[in-house]
Coordinates of all heavy atoms in Angstrom, one line a residue:
M13 N 0.8 -1.2 0.0 CA 0.0 0.0 0.0 C 0.9 1.3 0.0 O 0.5 2.2 -0.6 CB -0.9 0.0 1.2 CG -2.0 0.9 1.2 SD -3.2 0.4 0.0 CE -4.6 1.1 0.6
D14 N 2.0 1.2 0.7 CA 2.9 2.4 0.8 C 3.5 2.7 -0.6 O 3.7 3.8 -1.0 CB 4.0 2.2 1.8 CG 3.5 2.3 3.2 OD1 2.5 3.0 3.4 OD2 4.1 1.7 4.1
N15 N 3.7 1.6 -1.3 CA 4.3 1.8 -2.7 C 3.3 2.5 -3.6 O 3.7 3.3 -4.4 CB 4.7 0.4 -3.2 CG 5.5 0.5 -4.5 OD1 6.2 1.5 -4.7 ND2 5.6 -0.6 -5.3
I16 N 2.0 2.1 -3.5 CA 1.0 2.7 -4.3 C 0.8 4.2 -3.9 O 0.7 5.1 -4.8 CB -0.3 2.0 -4.2 CG1 -0.2 0.6 -4.8 CG2 -1.5 2.8 -4.8 CD1 -1.4 -0.3 -4.6
T17 N 0.9 4.5 -2.6 CA 0.7 5.9 -2.1 C 1.9 6.7 -2.6 O 1.8 7.8 -3.0 CB 0.7 5.9 -0.6 OG1 -0.4 5.0 -0.2 CG2 0.5 7.3 -0.1
D18 N 3.1 6.1 -2.6 CA 4.3 6.8 -3.0 C 4.2 7.1 -4.5 O 4.6 8.2 -5.0 CB 5.6 6.0 -2.7 CG 5.9 6.0 -1.2 OD1 5.4 6.9 -0.5 OD2 6.7 5.1 -0.8
N19 N 3.8 6.1 -5.3 CA 3.6 6.3 -6.7 C 2.6 7.4 -7.0 O 2.8 8.3 -7.9 CB 3.2 5.0 -7.4 CG 4.4 4.1 -7.6 OD1 5.5 4.5 -7.5 ND2 4.1 2.8 -7.8
L20 N 1.5 7.4 -6.3 CA 0.5 8.5 -6.5 C 1.0 9.8 -6.2 O 0.7 10.8 -6.9 CB -0.8 8.2 -5.7 CG -1.7 7.0 -6.2 CD1 -2.8 6.8 -5.2 CD2 -2.3 7.3 -7.5
K21 N 1.8 9.9 -5.1 CA 2.4 11.2 -4.7 C 3.4 11.7 -5.8 O 3.4 12.9 -6.1 CB 3.1 11.1 -3.4 CG 2.1 11.0 -2.2 CD 2.8 11.0 -0.9 CE 1.8 10.9 0.3 NZ 2.5 10.8 1.6
Q22 N 4.1 10.7 -6.3 CA 5.1 11.1 -7.4 C 4.4 11.6 -8.6 O 4.8 12.6 -9.2 CB 6.0 9.9 -7.7 CG 7.0 9.6 -6.7 CD 7.8 8.3 -7.0 OE1 7.5 7.6 -7.9 NE2 8.9 8.1 -6.3
W23 N 3.3 10.9 -9.0 CA 2.5 11.3 -10.1 C 1.9 12.7 -9.9 O 1.8 13.5 -10.8 CB 1.5 10.3 -10.5 CG 2.1 9.1 -11.3 CD1 2.3 7.9 -10.8 CD2 2.5 9.2 -12.6 NE1 2.8 7.1 -11.8 CE2 3.0 7.9 -13.0 CE3 2.6 10.1 -13.6 CZ2 3.5 7.6 -14.2 CZ3 3.1 9.8 -14.9 CH2 3.6 8.6 -15.1
Q24 N 1.3 12.9 -8.7 CA 0.7 14.1 -8.4 C 1.7 15.3 -8.5 O 1.5 16.3 -9.0 CB 0.1 14.1 -7.0 CG -0.7 15.3 -6.6 CD -1.3 15.3 -5.3 OE1 -1.2 14.3 -4.6 NE2 -2.1 16.3 -4.9
H25 N 2.9 15.0 -7.9 CA 4.0 16.0 -8.0 C 4.4 16.3 -9.4 O 4.5 17.5 -9.8 CB 5.2 15.5 -7.2 CG 6.4 16.5 -7.2 ND1 6.3 17.7 -6.6 CD2 7.6 16.4 -7.9 CE1 7.5 18.3 -6.8 NE2 8.2 17.6 -7.6
R26 N 4.5 15.3 -10.3 CA 4.9 15.5 -11.7 C 3.8 16.3 -12.4 O 4.1 17.2 -13.2 CB 5.1 14.2 -12.4 CG 6.4 13.5 -11.9 CD 6.6 12.2 -12.6 NE 7.0 12.5 -13.9 CZ 7.3 11.5 -14.8 NH1 7.2 10.2 -14.5 NH2 7.6 11.8 -16.0
I27 N 2.5 16.0 -12.1 CA 1.4 16.7 -12.7 C 1.4 18.2 -12.3 O 1.2 19.1 -13.1 CB 0.1 16.0 -12.4 CG1 0.0 14.7 -13.1 CG2 -1.1 16.9 -12.8 CD1 -1.2 13.8 -12.7
E28 N 1.7 18.4 -11.0 CA 1.7 19.8 -10.6 C 2.9 20.6 -11.2 O 2.7 21.7 -11.6 CB 1.9 19.8 -9.0 CG 0.6 19.4 -8.3 CD 0.9 19.3 -6.8 OE1 2.0 19.4 -6.3 OE2 -0.1 19.0 -6.1
E29 N 4.0 19.9 -11.4 CA 5.1 20.6 -12.0 C 4.8 20.9 -13.5 O 5.1 22.0 -14.0 CB 6.4 19.7 -12.0 CG 7.0 19.6 -10.6 CD 7.5 20.9 -10.1 OE1 8.2 21.7 -10.9 OE2 7.3 21.3 -8.9
L30 N 4.1 20.0 -14.2 CA 3.7 20.2 -15.6 C 2.7 21.3 -15.7 O 2.8 22.2 -16.6 CB 3.2 18.9 -16.2 CG 4.2 17.8 -16.5 CD1 3.5 16.6 -16.9 CD2 5.2 18.3 -17.5
E31 N 1.8 21.4 -14.7 CA 0.8 22.5 -14.7 C 1.5 23.9 -14.5 O 1.2 24.9 -15.1 CB -0.2 22.3 -13.6 CG -1.2 21.2 -14.0 CD -2.2 20.9 -12.8 OE1 -1.9 21.2 -11.7 OE2 -3.2 20.2 -13.1
I32 N 2.5 23.9 -13.6 CA 3.3 25.1 -13.4 C 4.0 25.5 -14.7 O 4.0 26.7 -15.1 CB 4.2 24.9 -12.2 CG1 3.5 24.8 -10.9 CG2 5.3 26.1 -12.1 CD1 4.3 24.4 -9.7
Q33 N 4.7 24.5 -15.3 CA 5.4 24.8 -16.5 C 4.5 25.3 -17.6 O 4.8 26.3 -18.3 CB 6.2 23.6 -17.0 CG 7.4 23.2 -16.2 CD 8.0 22.0 -16.7 OE1 7.6 21.4 -17.7 NE2 9.1 21.5 -16.0
S34 N 3.3 24.7 -17.7 CA 2.3 25.1 -18.7 C 1.9 26.6 -18.5 O 1.7 27.4 -19.4 CB 1.1 24.2 -18.7 OG 0.1 24.6 -19.6
A35 N 1.6 26.9 -17.2 CA 1.2 28.3 -16.9 C 2.2 29.3 -17.2 O 1.9 30.4 -17.7 CB 0.8 28.3 -15.4
L36 N 3.5 28.9 -16.9 CA 4.6 29.9 -17.2 C 4.8 30.0 -18.7 O 5.0 31.1 -19.2 CB 5.9 29.4 -16.6 CG 6.0 29.4 -15.1 CD1 7.2 28.8 -14.5 CD2 5.9 30.9 -14.6
Q37 N 4.6 28.9 -19.5 CA 4.7 29.0 -20.9 C 3.6 29.9 -21.5 O 3.8 30.7 -22.4 CB 4.7 27.6 -21.5 CG 6.0 26.9 -21.3 CD 6.0 25.5 -21.9 OE1 4.9 25.0 -22.2 NE2 7.1 24.9 -21.9
E38 N 2.4 29.7 -21.0 CA 1.2 30.5 -21.4 C 1.5 32.0 -21.2 O 1.2 32.9 -22.0 CB -0.1 30.1 -20.8 CG -0.6 28.8 -21.2 CD -1.8 28.3 -20.5 OE1 -2.5 29.2 -19.8 OE2 -2.2 27.2 -20.5
E39 N 2.0 32.3 -20.0 CA 2.4 33.7 -19.7 C 3.4 34.3 -20.6 O 3.3 35.4 -21.1 CB 2.8 33.8 -18.2 CG 3.1 35.2 -17.8 CD 3.6 35.2 -16.3 OE1 3.1 34.4 -15.5 OE2 4.5 36.1 -16.0
T40 N 4.4 33.4 -20.9 CA 5.5 33.9 -21.8 C 5.0 34.1 -23.2 O 5.3 35.1 -23.9 CB 6.6 32.8 -21.8 OG1 7.2 32.7 -20.5 CG2 7.8 33.2 -22.8
V41 N 4.1 33.2 -23.7 CA 3.6 33.3 -25.0 C 2.7 34.6 -25.1 O 2.8 35.3 -26.1 CB 2.8 32.0 -25.4 CG1 1.9 32.3 -26.7 CG2 3.7 30.9 -25.6
Q42 N 1.9 34.9 -24.1 CA 1.1 36.1 -24.1 C 2.0 37.3 -24.1 O 1.7 38.3 -24.8 CB 0.2 36.1 -22.9 CG -0.8 37.2 -22.9 CD -1.7 37.3 -24.1 OE1 -2.3 36.2 -24.5 NE2 -1.8 38.4 -24.8
S43 N 3.0 37.3 -23.3 CA 4.0 38.4 -23.3 C 4.6 38.6 -24.6 O 4.7 39.8 -25.1 CB 5.0 38.2 -22.2 OG 6.0 39.2 -22.2
L44 N 5.0 37.6 -25.3 CA 5.7 37.7 -26.6 C 4.6 38.2 -27.6 O 5.0 39.0 -28.5 CB 6.2 36.3 -27.0 CG 7.5 35.9 -26.3 CD1 7.8 34.4 -26.6 CD2 8.7 36.8 -26.5
S45 N 3.4 37.7 -27.5 CA 2.4 38.2 -28.4 C 2.1 39.7 -28.3 O 2.0 40.4 -29.3 CB 1.1 37.4 -28.2 OG 0.1 37.8 -29.0
D46 N 2.1 40.1 -27.1 CA 1.9 41.6 -26.8 C 3.1 42.4 -27.4 O 2.9 43.4 -28.0 CB 1.7 41.8 -25.3 CG 0.5 41.2 -24.7 OD1 -0.5 40.9 -25.5 OD2 0.4 41.1 -23.5
T47 N 4.3 41.9 -27.2 CA 5.5 42.5 -27.7 C 5.4 42.6 -29.2 O 5.7 43.7 -29.8 CB 6.7 41.8 -27.2 OG1 6.8 41.8 -25.8 CG2 8.0 42.5 -27.7
I48 N 5.1 41.5 -29.9 CA 5.0 41.5 -31.3 C 3.9 42.5 -31.8 O 4.1 43.2 -32.8 CB 4.7 40.1 -31.8 CG1 5.9 39.2 -31.6 CG2 4.3 40.1 -33.3 CD1 5.7 37.7 -31.8
A49 N 2.8 42.6 -31.1 CA 1.7 43.5 -31.5 C 2.3 45.0 -31.4 O 2.0 45.8 -32.3 CB 0.5 43.3 -30.6
R50 N 3.0 45.3 -30.3 CA 3.5 46.6 -30.2 C 4.6 46.9 -31.2 O 4.6 48.0 -31.8 CB 4.1 46.8 -28.8 CG 3.2 47.0 -27.7 CD 3.8 47.5 -26.4 NE 4.9 46.7 -26.0 CZ 4.9 45.6 -25.2 NH1 3.7 45.2 -24.8 NH2 6.0 45.0 -24.9
L51 N 5.4 45.9 -31.5 CA 6.4 46.1 -32.6 C 5.8 46.3 -33.9 O 6.2 47.2 -34.7 CB 7.4 44.9 -32.6 CG 8.4 44.8 -31.5 CD1 9.1 43.5 -31.5 CD2 9.3 46.0 -31.4
Q52 N 4.7 45.6 -34.2 CA 4.0 45.8 -35.5 C 3.4 47.2 -35.6 O 3.5 47.8 -36.7 CB 2.9 44.7 -35.7 CG 2.2 44.8 -37.0 CD 3.2 44.5 -38.2 OE1 3.9 43.5 -38.1 NE2 3.3 45.4 -39.1
Q53 N 2.9 47.7 -34.5 CA 2.4 49.1 -34.5 C 3.5 50.1 -34.8 O 3.3 51.0 -35.5 CB 1.7 49.4 -33.2 CG 0.4 48.7 -33.0 CD -0.2 49.0 -31.6 OE1 0.5 49.4 -30.7 NE2 -1.5 48.7 -31.4
T54 N 4.6 49.9 -34.2 CA 5.8 50.7 -34.4 C 6.2 50.7 -35.8 O 6.5 51.7 -36.4 CB 6.9 50.3 -33.5 OG1 6.5 50.4 -32.1 CG2 8.2 51.2 -33.7
I55 N 6.3 49.5 -36.4 CA 6.7 49.3 -37.8 C 5.7 50.0 -38.7 O 6.1 50.7 -39.6 CB 6.8 47.8 -38.2 CG1 8.1 47.2 -37.5 CG2 6.9 47.6 -39.7 CD1 8.2 45.7 -37.6
D56 N 4.4 49.8 -38.4 CA 3.4 50.5 -39.3 C 3.5 52.0 -39.2 O 3.4 52.7 -40.3 CB 2.0 50.1 -38.8 CG 1.7 48.6 -39.1 OD1 2.4 48.0 -39.9 OD2 0.7 48.1 -38.5
L57 N 3.8 52.6 -38.0 CA 4.0 54.0 -37.9 C 5.2 54.5 -38.7 O 5.2 55.5 -39.4 CB 4.1 54.4 -36.4 CG 4.3 55.9 -36.1 CD1 3.2 56.7 -36.7 CD2 4.5 56.1 -34.6
Q58 N 6.3 53.7 -38.5 CA 7.5 54.1 -39.2 C 7.4 54.0 -40.7 O 7.9 54.9 -41.4 CB 8.7 53.3 -38.7 CG 9.1 53.6 -37.3 CD 10.2 52.7 -36.8 OE1 10.5 51.6 -37.4 NE2 10.9 53.1 -35.7
Q59 N 6.6 53.0 -41.2 CA 6.4 53.0 -42.6 C 5.6 54.1 -43.1 O 5.8 54.7 -44.2 CB 5.7 51.6 -43.0 CG 6.7 50.4 -42.9 CD 6.0 49.1 -43.2 OE1 4.8 49.0 -43.0 NE2 6.7 48.1 -43.6
A60 N 4.6 54.5 -42.4 CA 3.8 55.7 -42.7 C 4.6 56.9 -42.8 O 4.5 57.8 -43.7 CB 2.6 55.8 -41.8
Q61 N 5.5 57.1 -41.8 CA 6.4 58.3 -41.7 C 7.3 58.3 -42.9 O 7.6 59.3 -43.5 CB 7.1 58.3 -40.4 CG 6.3 58.6 -39.2 CD 7.0 58.4 -37.9 OE1 8.0 57.7 -37.8 NE2 6.5 59.1 -36.9
L62 N 7.8 57.1 -43.3 CA 8.7 57.0 -44.4 C 8.1 57.3 -45.7 O 8.6 58.0 -46.6 CB 9.4 55.6 -44.4 CG 10.5 55.3 -45.4 CD1 11.7 56.3 -45.1 CD2 11.0 53.9 -45.3
R63 N 6.8 56.8 -45.9 CA 6.1 57.2 -47.1 C 5.9 58.7 -47.2 O 6.0 59.3 -48.2 CB 4.7 56.4 -47.1 CG 4.8 55.0 -47.6 CD 3.4 54.5 -47.8 NE 2.6 54.4 -46.6 CZ 2.6 53.3 -45.8 NH1 3.4 52.3 -46.0 NH2 1.8 53.3 -44.7
L64 N 5.5 59.3 -46.0 CA 5.4 60.8 -46.0 C 6.6 61.5 -46.4 O 6.6 62.4 -47.2 CB 4.9 61.2 -44.6 CG 4.6 62.7 -44.5 CD1 3.5 63.1 -45.4 CD2 4.3 63.0 -43.0
L65 N 7.8 61.0 -45.9 CA 9.0 61.6 -46.3 C 9.3 61.5 -47.8 O 9.8 62.4 -48.4 CB 10.2 61.0 -45.4 CG 10.2 61.4 -44.0 CD1 11.3 60.6 -43.2 CD2 10.5 62.9 -43.9
Y66 N 9.1 60.3 -48.3 CA 9.3 60.1 -49.7 C 8.4 60.9 -50.6 O 8.8 61.4 -51.6 CB 9.1 58.6 -50.1 CG 10.4 57.8 -49.9 CD1 10.3 56.6 -49.0 CD2 11.6 58.1 -50.4 CE1 11.5 55.9 -48.8 CE2 12.7 57.3 -50.2 CZ 12.7 56.2 -49.4 OH 13.8 55.5 -49.2
Q67 N 7.2 61.2 -50.1 CA 6.3 62.1 -50.8 C 6.8 63.5 -50.8 O 6.6 64.2 -51.8 CB 4.9 62.0 -50.2 CG 4.2 60.7 -50.5 CD 2.9 60.6 -49.7 OE1 2.5 61.5 -48.9 NE2 2.1 59.5 -49.9
R68 N 7.5 63.9 -49.8 CA 8.0 65.3 -49.6 C 9.3 65.5 -50.4 O 9.7 66.6 -50.6 CB 8.1 65.6 -48.2 CG 6.8 65.8 -47.4 CD 7.1 66.2 -46.0 NE 5.8 66.4 -45.3 CZ 5.7 66.8 -44.1 NH1 6.8 67.1 -43.4 NH2 4.5 67.0 -43.5
L69 N 10.0 64.4 -50.7 CA 11.3 64.6 -51.3 C 11.2 65.3 -52.7 O 12.0 66.2 -52.9 CB 12.0 63.2 -51.6 CG 12.7 62.6 -50.4 CD1 13.2 61.2 -50.7 CD2 13.8 63.5 -49.9
P70 N 10.3 65.0 -53.5 CA 10.2 65.8 -54.8 C 9.9 67.2 -54.5 O 10.4 68.1 -55.2 CB 9.1 65.1 -55.6 CG 9.0 63.7 -55.0 CD 9.4 63.9 -53.6
D71 N 9.1 67.5 -53.5 CA 8.8 68.9 -53.2 C 10.1 69.7 -52.8 O 10.3 70.8 -53.2 CB 7.8 69.0 -52.0 CG 6.4 68.4 -52.4 OD1 6.2 68.3 -53.6 OD2 5.7 68.1 -51.5
K72 N 10.9 69.1 -52.0 CA 12.2 69.7 -51.6 C 13.1 69.9 -52.8 O 13.7 71.0 -52.9 CB 12.9 68.9 -50.5 CG 12.2 68.8 -49.2 CD 12.5 70.2 -48.5 CE 12.0 70.1 -47.1 NZ 12.2 71.3 -46.3
A73 N 13.2 68.9 -53.6 CA 14.1 69.0 -54.8 C 13.6 70.1 -55.8 O 14.4 70.8 -56.4 CB 14.2 67.7 -55.5
D74 N 12.3 70.2 -55.9 CA 11.7 71.2 -56.9 C 11.7 72.6 -56.4 O 11.7 73.6 -57.1 CB 10.3 70.8 -57.2 CG 10.2 69.5 -58.1 OD1 11.2 69.2 -58.6 OD2 9.1 68.9 -58.1
S75 N 11.8 72.8 -55.1 CA 11.7 74.1 -54.5 C 12.9 75.0 -54.8 O 12.7 76.3 -55.0 CB 11.5 74.1 -53.0 OG 12.7 73.5 -52.4
N76 N 14.1 74.5 -55.0 CA 15.2 75.4 -55.3 C 16.0 74.9 -56.5 O 17.2 75.3 -56.7 CB 16.1 75.5 -54.1 CG 16.6 74.2 -53.5 OD1 16.4 73.2 -54.1 ND2 17.2 74.2 -52.4
N77 N 15.4 74.0 -57.3 CA 16.1 73.5 -58.5 C 17.4 72.8 -58.2 O 18.2 72.7 -59.1 CB 16.2 74.6 -59.6 CG 14.9 75.1 -60.0 OD1 13.9 74.3 -60.1 ND2 14.8 76.3 -60.4
E78 N 17.6 72.4 -57.0 CA 18.8 71.6 -56.7 C 18.4 70.2 -56.2 O 17.3 70.1 -55.6 CB 19.6 72.3 -55.6 CG 20.2 73.6 -56.0 CD 21.0 74.2 -54.8 OE1 21.2 73.5 -53.8 OE2 21.2 75.4 -54.8
P79 N 19.2 69.2 -56.4 CA 18.8 67.9 -55.9 C 18.8 67.9 -54.4 O 19.5 68.6 -53.7 CB 20.0 67.0 -56.3 CG 20.8 67.8 -57.3 CD 20.5 69.2 -57.1
F80 N 17.8 67.2 -53.9 CA 17.7 67.1 -52.4 C 18.9 66.4 -51.8 O 19.2 65.4 -52.2 CB 16.4 66.4 -52.0 CG 16.2 66.3 -50.6 CD1 15.9 67.4 -49.8 CD2 16.3 65.0 -49.9 CE1 15.7 67.3 -48.4 CE2 16.1 64.9 -48.6 CZ 15.8 66.0 -47.8
N81 N 19.4 67.1 -50.8 CA 20.5 66.5 -50.0 C 20.3 66.7 -48.6 O 20.3 67.8 -48.1 CB 21.9 67.2 -50.4 CG 23.1 66.6 -49.7 OD1 22.9 65.7 -48.9 ND2 24.3 67.0 -50.1
P82 N 20.0 65.6 -47.8 CA 19.7 65.8 -46.4 C 20.8 66.5 -45.6 O 20.5 67.1 -44.6 CB 19.5 64.3 -45.9 CG 19.4 63.5 -47.1 CD 20.0 64.3 -48.3
A83 N 22.0 66.4 -46.1 CA 23.1 67.0 -45.3 C 23.0 68.6 -45.4 O 23.5 69.2 -44.5 CB 24.5 66.6 -45.9
N84 N 22.3 69.1 -46.3 CA 22.1 70.5 -46.4 C 20.9 71.0 -45.6 O 20.7 72.2 -45.6 CB 21.9 71.0 -47.9 CG 23.2 70.7 -48.7 OD1 24.3 70.6 -48.1 ND2 23.0 70.5 -50.0
E85 N 20.1 70.1 -45.1 CA 18.9 70.5 -44.4 C 19.3 71.0 -43.0 O 20.2 70.4 -42.3 CB 18.0 69.3 -44.2 CG 17.3 68.9 -45.6 CD 16.4 70.0 -46.1 OE1 15.5 70.5 -45.4 OE2 16.6 70.4 -47.3
I86 N 18.6 72.0 -42.5 CA 18.9 72.5 -41.2 C 17.9 71.8 -40.2 O 16.7 71.8 -40.5 CB 18.7 74.0 -41.1 CG1 19.7 74.7 -42.0 CG2 18.8 74.6 -39.7 CD1 19.4 76.2 -42.2
P87 N 18.3 71.2 -39.2 CA 17.4 70.6 -38.2 C 16.4 71.6 -37.6 O 16.8 72.8 -37.5 CB 18.3 70.0 -37.1 CG 19.7 69.9 -37.8 CD 19.7 71.0 -38.8
P88 N 15.3 71.2 -37.2 CA 14.2 72.1 -36.8 C 14.6 72.9 -35.5 O 14.0 73.9 -35.2 CB 13.0 71.2 -36.6 CG 13.5 69.8 -36.5 CD 14.8 69.8 -37.3
H89 N 15.6 72.4 -34.7 CA 15.9 73.1 -33.5 C 16.9 74.2 -33.7 O 17.3 74.9 -32.7 CB 16.4 72.1 -32.4 CG 17.6 71.4 -32.9 ND1 17.6 70.2 -33.7 CD2 18.9 71.5 -32.6 CE1 18.8 69.8 -33.9 NE2 19.6 70.6 -33.2
Y90 N 17.3 74.5 -34.9 CA 18.2 75.6 -35.2 C 17.5 76.8 -35.6 O 16.5 76.9 -36.2 CB 19.3 75.2 -36.2 CG 20.4 74.3 -35.7 CD1 20.5 73.0 -36.0 CD2 21.3 74.8 -34.8 CE1 21.5 72.2 -35.6 CE2 22.3 74.0 -34.2 CZ 22.4 72.7 -34.6 OH 23.3 71.9 -34.1

């Protein structure tokens, strides 16, 4: 009888450990999913900003009949 009780306790312990690991993995997966969603939003915003900049490039080049050169641009804080 003690052998059966010991086996049941071992199985119960193993099941509890697996449940703990599963819960930790679920938490990790959710955290990674949230991080990916935030990164996708950042990428989408950066792509929109880049499209806007590309749309403005011809405007800059046409305004003074010189090719656009970012090195000649004055930053907004000057």
Side-chain angles (χ1 to χ4, degrees):
M13 195 72 153
D14 286 334
N15 192 21
I16 294 174
T17 304
D18 288 342
N19 283 341
L20 286 175
K21 286 181 182 180
Q22 286 176 349
W23 279 107
Q24 183 178 4
H25 178 71
R26 290 181 71 180
I27 290 171
E28 288 172 356
E29 288 296 318
L30 289 172
E31 288 175 340
I32 291 170
Q33 288 178 2
S34 175
L36 290 174
Q37 287 176 349
E38 287 177 19
E39 183 180 325
T40 301
V41 167
Q42 185 60 48
S43 175
L44 289 171
S45 179
D46 293 344
T47 299
I48 289 170
R50 282 193 312 272
L51 289 172
Q52 186 61 52
Q53 289 176 341
T54 301
I55 289 169
D56 292 343
L57 176 62
Q58 289 177 343
Q59 286 177 336
Q61 291 171 336
L62 191 57
R63 277 192 296 275
L64 181 62
L65 286 173
Y66 276 124
Q67 289 171 356
R68 290 184 178 180
L69 278 177
D71 295 341
K72 288 285 190 180
D74 292 340
S75 66
N76 55 9
N77 295 328
E78 294 178 15
F80 177 71
N81 183 354
N84 294 336
E85 291 295 305
I86 298 173
H89 60 277
Y90 283 109

